Amino acid sequence: MKRSILLFIFITFCTLEMNAQKQNLPSGVYEWEKVSLEKTQTGEKGQVLDGPTKTLNNFEINVHTLNPGKAQYNSDNDQDREALVLIKEGKLEVTINGKKSILGPGSISLAAIGDKYNIYNASDEAVTYYSIQWESKVPTDLARSRQAGGSVAFDYTNMNFEKNQKGGRRTIMRRPTATLRELEAHITTLNEGEKSHDPHVHFDEEIIVVLSGKVEEMINGSPYKVGPGSVIFLSSMDPHGIRNIGKGQCEYYAIRWLSTPE
């Protein structure tokens, strides 16, 4: 009798634990100052967030510091995950199918499934970057990825800046991938005191990565104030809006995605 009770308790505990692990990531902010970095063979690494979302089986963001002369991240054998590499500080050598590019702060690259993609620190200083990886709930479509252009790199210094009354915008990409129906990324610049828009909702999930300045993000009616390096995750259909609350202009990445079948 005691053994049955203990077995029941054990099974119940395991079930609750598994359910807890499967809970979707809620909308929220991840302050740069609270990211804990641990030493690795190539530099340092710290986790920002990791877990399933409403539209993805898994979504993970890590911060890496890559020491001079070190290589890292090779997606050649990865058949489940795509990734974005967003450079925070320093210059990184990105090689896509044999073609090399040197990317600096604010630059971003997409590592598509099936492509030969790796990064290397060819400079004399450490490079800090975000690795944004995901696993979709829908089947991988390699043909769709190849048709859209596969892996690609965008140098911040070559991005076209479109000035507007609120500040400006750098449009980066809006395209399908092997695992996403649509992946869209742009950089917004807001003048002091300006807001991007009133709180709104959309089915797309989204992250904000603050490049400079200080912003206030309203999420489900609550304000969150964060500075450079911080990440904001916005779950599908959660009301949100952002404004510049610092001195001078602020600048941030907005990256959103749709993974449902067409």
Side-chain angles (χ1 to χ4, degrees):
M1 184 66 177
K2 289 183 178 180
R3 182 177 298 178
S4 298
I5 294 174
L6 289 174
L7 181 60
F8 173 78
I9 293 173
F10 176 77
I11 292 174
T12 301
F13 174 80
C14 290
T15 301
L16 291 173
E17 184 69 17
M18 290 177 63
N19 289 336
Q21 292 176 355
K22 292 180 180 179
Q23 287 182 351
N24 291 332
L25 290 170
S27 294
V29 301
Y30 301 83
E31 297 178 59
W32 172 254
E33 295 79 7
K34 295 182 180 179
V35 177
S36 178
L37 297 176
E38 297 181 357
K39 290 189 178 299
T40 66
Q41 292 182 342
T42 56
E44 294 180 314
K45 177 182 178 180
Q47 189 170 85
V48 179
L49 59 85
D50 182 20
T53 74
K54 291 178 182 177
T55 68
L56 300 173
N57 279 334
N58 188 259
F59 185 62
E60 182 177 1
I61 300 179
N62 292 297
V63 174
H64 300 264
T65 295
L66 190 60
N67 291 332
K70 296 295 184 179
Q72 195 170 356
Y73 195 85
N74 190 321
S75 66
D76 187 29
N77 297 319
D78 192 342
Q79 295 301 311
D80 296 315
R81 289 186 166 208
E82 294 178 300
L84 291 169
V85 171
L86 197 170
I87 301 173
K88 183 178 185 291
E89 298 170 354
K91 291 186 177 182
L92 201 60
E93 180 182 283
V94 177
T95 303
I96 299 174
N97 294 327
K99 183 179 179 180
K100 294 181 180 180
S101 301
I102 303 297
L103 305 179
S107 302
I108 193 169
S109 57
L110 168 66
I113 295 173
D115 284 345
K116 293 183 181 295
Y117 178 100
N118 56 68
I119 60 177
Y120 176 73
N121 184 356
S123 69
D124 296 328
E125 299 180 345
V127 179
T128 301
Y129 66 92
Y130 303 86
S131 172
I132 305 164
Q133 302 182 59
W134 61 88
E135 180 183 336
S136 181
K137 294 182 179 181
V138 300
T140 299
D141 188 339
L142 292 178
R144 182 175 65 183
S145 175
R146 286 192 290 268
Q147 186 175 6
S151 298
V152 64
F154 300 92
D155 185 357
Y156 179 89
T157 59
N158 293 331
M159 295 175 186
N160 182 45
F161 179 72
E162 301 171 1
K163 190 175 181 179
N164 57 43
Q165 291 183 339
K166 293 184 177 182
R169 175 187 172 109
R170 289 174 171 85
T171 300
I172 301 170
M173 64 177 160
R174 185 172 186 172
R175 52 176 283 183
T177 73
T179 65
L180 301 175
R181 191 177 91 193
E182 183 175 273
L183 174 63
E184 190 268 338
H186 65 270
I187 298 175
T188 294
T189 299
L190 289 179
N191 295 329
E192 186 174 326
E194 288 284 356
K195 59 182 177 181
S196 178
H197 49 69
D198 291 322
H200 66 173
V201 300
H202 47 69
F203 185 74
D204 318 30
E205 292 188 302
E206 183 179 13
I207 60 167
I208 302 293
V209 182
V210 183
L211 297 179
S212 63
K214 189 171 184 179
V215 303
E216 180 184 78
E217 181 79 41
M218 292 291 293
I219 304 175
N220 294 318
S222 298
Y224 299 88
K225 300 176 182 180
V226 294
S230 300
V231 175
I232 301 167
F233 172 70
L234 301 168
S235 186
S236 176
M237 301 307 293
D238 278 354
H240 61 275
I242 190 170
R243 68 186 182 99
N244 182 359
I245 60 171
K247 296 293 184 180
Q249 291 184 328
C250 73
E251 191 172 53
Y252 59 86
Y253 259 90
I255 302 170
R256 63 170 188 84
W257 60 90
L258 290 166
S259 68
T260 53
E262 293 188 57

